[in-house]
Amino acid sequence: MAVMVSIVVFAIDPARHDAFVAQMTVEAARTRGFDGCLGLTVAQAPGSEIVLIERWASAGHAERFMHWRQENGGLDALARFFVRRPVVQMFQEMAI
């Protein structure tokens, strides 16, 4: 199975940044504990963008996670902080 890398960019309302960080702390722990998650890095770009870099054991693990996240309300918990829809890209890790 190929390791998958998911990059998610969130544009956050600057007035709600601290509340987002508090909620993201909870959600990041849930992500890291999900079956197949090999790692999660959270970074902040200049301004109000937050970047998540997730590594998954396989595309199937990443898909199950996204389905679970939609079902358990985690996306709704974060969506209230967004100023626009997140950008999500999936990549297959290369052994270089």
Side-chain angles (χ1 to χ4, degrees):
M1 285 187 269
V3 171
M4 299 302 293
V5 178
S6 172
I7 299 176
V8 184
V9 179
F10 299 114
I12 304 303
D13 177 355
R16 305 196 70 208
H17 179 270
D18 292 345
F20 172 80
V21 170
Q23 183 67 47
M24 191 63 221
T25 300
V26 172
E27 300 304 332
R30 291 178 180 159
T31 300
R32 289 182 180 110
F34 197 85
D35 181 48
C37 181
L38 302 176
L40 170 66
T41 300
V42 182
Q44 183 166 356
S48 63
E49 288 190 334
I50 305 289
V51 178
L52 304 182
I53 302 169
E54 304 168 344
R55 291 183 70 241
W56 294 97
S58 70
H61 286 96
E63 290 169 12
R64 283 188 291 280
F65 170 75
M66 284 308 297
H67 180 73
W68 172 80
R69 183 60 85 191
Q70 290 169 353
E71 292 293 316
N72 82 354
L75 288 179
D76 292 336
L78 293 174
R80 60 196 167 115
F81 300 104
F82 303 157
V83 295
R84 66 177 178 267
R85 187 181 179 112
V87 176
V88 179
Q89 293 182 289
M90 293 291 292
F91 301 89
Q92 184 173 326
E93 191 169 274
M94 297 174 68
I96 296 178

